[in-house]
Amino acid sequence: MRVAVYPGTFDPITNGHLDILERATRLFDEVIIAVAEENYKYNLFNLEERTYLVKQACKHLGNIKVETFDGLLMNFVQERNAQAIVRGLRAVSDFEYEMQMAMMNKKLNTHVETVFLMSASKYSFLSSSIIKQVALLDGSIRGLVPVEVEKSLKNKYLEQFDNKEE
Ligand code: COA
C-alpha cells in the first residue's frame, strides 16, 4: 500500500491545494492530508475550522484521510507508515524553501521521499494569504477556493467587522 502525507497549514484550503491533492490521489493508494496545528504563523482560521474546510473540500475523493498533527512532520509520517510527503511547487520562489524542508526531512528519515507536483498554471499565483487579502477587501475569489471556503471567509470578516463596531 503506497501512502503519502500532504501536509500544510491550509489557512484556508484553496483550489490550488485541491488540484495537487487530486493528482496525488491518482499516484498513491492513500493520501493523508495533515493539517498543521501550530505553524509559527498567524492563522485566521483555528485548527478545527481549517480541518472542517479541508474535509468539506475533499468529500468527493475516496482514498484520502484528513488528520491534524503537531510537532515534527516526520514523526507523523513515520507513525502513519507513509512512504512519501507530497508538496506543490508553484514558482521558482517556492524552490528554496521546499528544498530546505525536503533535505531536512531526508536527514530525519532517509526512507521517506518528498514528491513535488507542479501547480496547474491557472493556480500558480495562488496562496492562502492573497486569497485572504482579496476576501477582506471584498474582491471576488470565486473559482479560486471551494464554495464553503468562500462562505466561511465572508462570515469571518463580517464577524471581525461586527466585533470592531461594538
Ligand atoms: N496552491 C495554492 N497555494 C499553495 C500551494 C498550492 N499548490 N502550495 C502551497 N501554497 C501556499 C499556501 O497557501 C501557503 O500560503 P500562505 O503562506 O500565504 O499561507 C504557502 O503556500 C505555504 O503553505 P503550506 O503549503 O500550507 O505549507 P506551510 O509552509 O504553511 O506548512 C509545513 C509547511 C506545515 C508542512 C511545515 O512547516 C512543517 O512540516 N511543519 C512541522 C514542523 C516540522 O516538521 N518542521 C521541520 C520541517 S523540515
Side-chain angles (χ1 to χ4, degrees), residues 4 14 18 34-35 46 55 95-96 102-103 107 113 159 163:
T14 69
L18 258 187
V35 185
N46 65 32
K55 282 186 178 161
F95 183 76
E96 220 168 75
M103 285 186 162
K107 187 105 187 104
E113 296 297 334
E159 208 177 273
N163 288 345

Side-chain angles (χ1 to χ4, degrees), residues 1 3-4 8 28-29 38 42 59-60 92 119 124 127-129 143 151 164 166:
M1 174 110 165
V3 180
F28 294 93
D29 297 311
E38 188 49 68
Y42 161 76
K59 269 183 177 165
H60 60 296
V92 183
S119 247
S124 61
S127 73
S128 298
S129 304
K151 280 192 221 153
K164 259 195 208 151
E166 279 166 14

Side-chain angles (χ1 to χ4, degrees), residues 7-8 12-14 17 19 25 28 33 35-36 53 73-74 88 92 100 103 107 117 121-122 126 130-131 140 147 164:
I13 186 165
T14 69
H17 291 125
D19 164 60
T25 59
F28 294 93
I33 305 153
V35 185
L53 290 172
L73 172 65
M74 194 48 82
V92 183
Q100 196 181 23
M103 285 186 162
K107 187 105 187 104
L117 297 180
S121 55
K122 61 179 174 178
L126 269 191
I130 208 163
I131 287 290
S140 172
V147 179
K164 259 195 208 151

Side-chain angles (χ1 to χ4, degrees), residues 56-129:
Q56 290 297 313
C58 302
K59 269 183 177 165
H60 60 296
L61 296 170
N63 54 337
I64 59 123
K65 267 190 195 159
V66 183
E67 296 192 32
T68 62
F69 80 101
D70 197 10
L72 263 192
L73 172 65
M74 194 48 82
N75 289 348
F76 178 84
V77 172
Q78 282 168 194
E79 280 162 19
R80 297 297 177 276
N81 282 323
Q83 296 90 349
I85 295 169
V86 170
R87 294 287 291 169
L89 272 185
R90 290 163 299 172
V92 183
S93 49
D94 280 344
F95 183 76
E96 220 168 75
Y97 170 62
E98 292 297 338
M99 188 179 75
Q100 196 181 23
M101 277 211 302
M103 285 186 162
M104 181 50 89
N105 280 326
K106 194 80 188 160
K107 187 105 187 104
L108 294 171
N109 186 333
T110 51
H111 302 292
V112 174
E113 296 297 334
T114 301
V115 175
F116 292 105
L117 297 180
M118 296 296 291
S119 247
S121 55
K122 61 179 174 178
Y123 299 131
S124 61
F125 64 96
L126 269 191
S127 73
S128 298
S129 304

